[in-house]
Amino acid sequence: MQATIAFPAMQVVDRLVAECHRFEVSAIDPDIAGQLASELPLEDFVRIVRTFEDDLGRLARQLEAAVASGDQDGYRRAAHSLAGAAAAVGARRLEHVARLGMDHRAQVDPRTIALHVQHEARAALAELAALADNPPGAF
Amino acid sequence: MPGAAARVLIVEDTPTQAEVARALLRDLGHEIRVAETGTAAVEQTLAWRPDAILMDIELPDFSGFEAMRRLRAAGIETAIIVVTAHGSVNHAVEAMREGAVDFIVKPYAKTRLTVTLQNALEKRALATELREVKAQLSRDRFFGFIGASPAMQAVYRTIESVAASRANVFITGESGTGKELAAEAVHRASPRRAGPFIALNCGAIPRDLLESEIFGHVKGAFSGATENRPGAARMADGGTLFLDEIGELPLDMQVKLLRFVQTGSFQPVGASRPEKVDVRFVSATNRDPWAEVEAGRFREDLYYRLYVVPVEMPPLRARGADVALVARHFLAAFAKEEGKRFRAFTREAEAALMAYPWPGNVRQLQNVIRNIVVLHEGERVEAAMLPPMLLRTGSGRAPVSMPMAAPPAPPPPPVAAPPAAWVSARLEPTAWPEPVEEVPPPAMARRPEPEPEAPPPAPWAPPARIEDFLPLAEVEKRYILAALDQVAQDVPRAASVLRINPSTIYRKLQAWRAEEGTG
């Protein structure tokens, strides 16, 4: 489906991410990701992180393709799935960015969203990998 | 189900979410599958029948609520837990309205998820158990039986309880209460159901053939034994041997049967070696078996071998509303069989059926309904279509005769030269019999002794002179009436003997009655 996407409030995400960085909010929620890392066997946690990585790659491509083709529905579906995947592992910054993409009232530039998704996905994966290497309770 | 491995379907289109749920539930030992779309969720549920579903709401093809509606329409009663990222009251309300047992918001902690799932499984298990108990308490069908009365529920429970064991079963009850049906139910509910069910009516077999019928014989064992023939014992190997009217078994045969029951071995007539089989015994009698023991007509040791689990079949008069239930069943079945339009009873007719004590039990009721269906037309059975004795017993006084297609008749004269009045006398007033005033038999009344000394029937011979020949229709009429006399006017039995359909007899009786009316 081809549609014109308007994006007047393009600084919203930048501001949000900047605030996160200013207050040193980590890419992942330690309550959620930490709990998964501490409660599950390592192989299960690693499997979840790998599944998340696969999801990110697939959904980011879908998101970018939807942006390039102006497919509004495809764009929102990809953003929705990204938000769900991110929430499952506690990747809260990525989730927030994806939810902005889902919210048609925010009218954020999809290209900005796509860029920030890439950025936050890398940050979340890095922190999850670190968590897998050194789960809470380990010493 | 709680504590036991269950089937859990995770309906989730985001693999990360599904993997998290799967990992959090892994410790519980449940079998887990994942469906990524609403369509896949419905298909997998119908095919796999999970005990619980974790249902995401936002799915690629249609919503989780729509999937729930489709499952409910398909009669699926799986415990569904709605999983959503939106913790709004509206979502929770809609989830419950669509039949969810619980609601959980993503992301969830392991404890929250496992407790929610276990609660849902426990609730479902309790609901299932409750439904099964209710169904058992109110079931109106059990194998071949029709009846929802407490008396029949007790019979069903006993049969179910005993079926799985090897214990011998002894069924008592008045004639027509369904003793053979109970024996078949024991067999069909048992692990032997794939094996044979062999029924032997001990009262219907001539004494000198009993041993051969039960144990078989070898070629040359007696005159006429031209080949080896297996008996009921061999044929029932691996299954159930039903010995009906066991009280009619002569004492000498009881000794042989006792040995068979004790050892599982028997010796065919004329055989030099015993054979061993694996048989479960189900016996039945309409007598009081212990009274028979006390009277010396039934061996005490055989009694104890066979009378392990007693099943007492209640008389129809003790089954309350079952009378109407059974009557409606027969009405539907016979109407279909006879191509009639009957669908129901009028209130008066049903009340008359309920008030009558049915001394002949279900078999008598069956005959009455068959007769009504054959002789009348309409959509509803009116009270006027019932036999007069049913209408006269509203006070509850127990009449005792079986309803018959024609009144009890004097002993039949020779077929060749019956008195002219004989046929018309029995067809004249009505197709229904007058009640015979005699004391109704007690629950375990002794049957009339068989008459082994009765001479065998003489072979039929045609008239010696041509002028003595009768019209074929007249011969048929006399022959059918004679057969009815021989079986106490039991139309289905007479039909069986004559190898014709009972409806043929009913139609002919109706026609003859009409002839009498016009003649």
Side-chain angles (χ1 to χ4, degrees):
Chain A
M1 171 182 150
Q2 297 290 329
T4 305
I5 301 173
F7 32 84
M10 50 202 306
Q11 281 79 30
V12 175
V13 181
D14 292 325
R15 195 177 66 244
L16 193 149
V17 172
E19 283 178 6
C20 286
H21 285 255
R22 183 149 46 95
F23 293 106
E24 294 185 338
V25 176
S26 67
I28 59 170
D29 183 341
D31 283 347
I32 297 170
Q35 197 171 39
L36 290 176
S38 62
E39 288 186 343
L40 295 174
L42 180 60
E43 62 269 25
D44 281 353
F45 184 68
V46 168
R47 190 181 303 108
I48 289 171
V49 173
R50 284 183 181 150
T51 307
F52 178 56
E53 191 175 3
D54 291 345
D55 276 354
L56 287 182
R58 177 175 52 83
L59 294 169
R61 281 194 300 277
Q62 285 178 10
L63 192 80
E64 286 162 12
V67 169
S69 63
D71 177 1
Q72 210 162 9
D73 283 347
Y75 168 71
R76 292 219 161 80
R77 272 203 306 274
H80 165 75
S81 296
L82 268 172
V89 293
R92 55 187 166 185
R93 283 187 354 219
L94 176 60
E95 182 190 356
H96 289 162
V97 170
R99 290 204 184 285
L100 277 172
M102 291 164 60
D103 187 355
H104 61 88
R105 291 167 303 183
Q107 295 190 319
V108 182
D109 183 350
R111 288 169 298 187
T112 305
I113 294 288
L115 281 173
H116 280 291
V117 161
Q118 286 182 11
H119 176 75
E120 294 303 334
R122 276 194 296 272
L125 281 172
E127 289 192 30
L128 286 168
L131 199 59
D133 288 341
N134 193 14
F139 55 88
Chain B
M1 189 59 70
R7 291 177 169 184
V8 180
L9 180 66
I10 298 170
V11 182
E12 175 60 66
D13 63 325
T14 308
T16 304
Q17 294 273 16
E19 192 55 47
V20 168
R22 187 198 290 270
L24 292 176
L25 296 175
R26 194 181 306 281
D27 288 352
L28 301 178
H30 297 318
E31 190 182 349
I32 294 172
R33 292 187 185 180
V34 175
E36 294 190 351
T37 63
T39 305
V42 172
E43 287 174 357
Q44 283 211 47
T45 302
L46 293 175
W48 189 50
R49 302 279 167 161
D51 299 299
I53 298 175
L54 296 177
M55 179 75 79
D56 187 25
I57 292 304
E58 300 202 27
L59 298 170
D61 45 359
F62 48 80
S63 78
F65 293 136
E66 174 60 23
M68 290 167 71
R69 280 190 282 275
R70 294 186 187 190
L71 291 175
R72 196 172 52 192
I76 297 294
E77 294 180 353
T78 301
I80 298 178
I81 299 163
V82 165
V83 184
T84 178
H86 307 288
S88 73
V89 173
N90 285 347
H91 265 100
V93 169
E94 188 169 2
M96 296 305 167
R97 194 170 57 222
E98 296 300 342
V101 293
D102 211 337
F103 181 84
I104 186 169
V105 180
K106 294 187 280 191
Y108 36 71
K110 182 179 181 181
T111 309
R112 171 89 170 98
L113 178 64
T114 54
V115 168
T116 302
L117 177 63
Q118 293 304 86
N119 283 345
L121 289 170
E122 189 171 348
K123 190 173 173 183
R124 178 179 183 269
L126 287 172
T128 303
E129 193 177 342
L130 181 65
R131 192 170 52 248
E132 284 171 358
V133 169
K134 278 184 177 173
Q136 278 193 356
L137 289 175
S138 61
R139 59 188 160 184
D140 58 6
R141 294 278 197 287
F142 182 79
F143 292 99
F145 286 112
I146 293 158
S149 62
M152 289 308 289
Q153 301 297 339
V155 170
Y156 303 159
R157 284 195 297 275
T158 305
I159 289 174
E160 273 179 335
S161 303
V162 73
S165 86
R166 293 177 58 93
N168 292 336
V169 177
F170 204 110
I171 304 165
T172 54
E174 295 177 19
S175 290
T177 50
K179 294 189 288 296
E180 180 158 355
L181 218 49
E184 280 188 45
V186 170
H187 174 73
R188 287 167 59 192
S190 79
R192 295 169 172 265
R193 67 180 72 87
F197 174 81
I198 303 296
L200 199 68
N201 188 330
C202 303
I205 302 167
R207 287 187 182 203
D208 52 354
L209 292 181
L210 255 174
E211 186 173 1
S212 170
E213 287 294 319
I214 297 175
F215 300 127
H217 62 251
V218 297
K219 182 179 178 182
F222 47 84
S223 58
T226 54
E227 54 189 15
N228 292 344
R229 183 174 178 277
R234 161 67 72 76
M235 289 192 288
D237 191 14
T240 304
L241 178 58
F242 174 48
L243 298 169
D244 199 5
E245 299 191 42
I246 186 102
E248 309 296 336
L249 211 58
L251 283 166
D252 58 332
M253 271 308 299
Q254 290 181 29
V255 177
K256 292 176 180 173
L257 181 63
L258 175 65
R259 197 175 309 124
F260 177 34
V261 176
Q262 283 174 326
T263 65
S265 299
F266 64 91
Q267 198 149 341
V269 178
S272 54
R273 273 183 294 191
E275 294 182 16
K276 194 166 179 68
V277 289
D278 171 25
V279 165
R280 182 196 203 166
F281 294 92
V282 178
S283 312
T285 181
N286 61 353
R287 303 180 185 183
D288 177 346
W290 183 246
E292 293 299 298
V293 171
E294 290 187 318
R297 288 188 291 266
F298 199 77
R299 290 182 64 96
E300 187 173 354
D301 43 11
L302 182 59
Y303 169 87
Y304 285 121
R305 284 282 172 181
L306 296 176
Y307 199 88
V308 179
V309 178
V311 176
E312 184 171 352
M313 298 305 300
L316 190 53
R317 62 183 167 277
R319 290 174 54 182
D322 280 358
V323 174
L325 205 63
V326 176
R328 282 185 223 119
H329 168 78
F330 284 141
L331 185 68
F334 295 151
K336 185 178 177 189
E337 197 176 309
E338 302 288 344
K340 296 292 184 80
R341 292 181 298 124
F342 283 114
R343 294 287 177 271
F345 296 89
T346 62
R347 189 174 298 177
E348 293 75 19
E350 195 161 296
L353 292 174
M354 296 289 290
Y356 187 68
W358 301 106
N361 294 298
V362 176
R363 191 176 297 135
Q364 181 188 14
L365 176 60
Q366 183 180 18
N367 288 351
V368 164
I369 305 301
R370 165 78 81 173
N371 209 316
I372 290 167
V373 170
V374 171
L375 297 181
H376 298 89
E377 298 292 342
E379 288 199 346
R380 300 209 303 168
V381 174
E382 310 280 346
M385 298 176 187
L386 299 177
M389 63 186 169
L390 263 70
L391 304 174
R392 283 201 296 268
T393 54
S395 62
R397 188 179 69 85
V400 291
S401 72
M402 299 273 286
M404 298 162 189
V415 173
W422 176 58
V423 171
S424 58
R426 293 187 297 123
L427 295 172
E428 192 174 18
T430 170
W432 298 107
E434 292 299 312
V436 178
E437 293 296 334
E438 61 184 27
V439 178
M444 296 299 158
R446 183 187 166 93
R447 279 183 175 180
E449 285 291 338
E451 297 172 12
E453 62 277 5
W460 182 81
R465 300 180 308 162
I466 189 65
E467 53 268 34
D468 290 334
F469 274 86
L470 292 168
L472 199 55
E474 182 64 22
V475 173
E476 179 190 65
K477 183 177 180 180
R478 295 179 184 190
Y479 205 72
I480 289 173
L481 292 172
L484 283 168
D485 281 341
Q486 289 294 321
V487 296
Q489 311 301 320
D490 183 335
V491 172
R493 202 170 156 204
S496 171
V497 170
L498 298 171
R499 298 191 182 173
I500 57 176
N501 195 303
S503 59
T504 304
I505 295 184
Y506 288 119
R507 284 200 195 92
K508 287 187 181 296
L509 288 171
Q510 190 178 27
W512 296 333
R513 189 178 165 203
E515 284 171 15
E516 292 297 321
T518 55

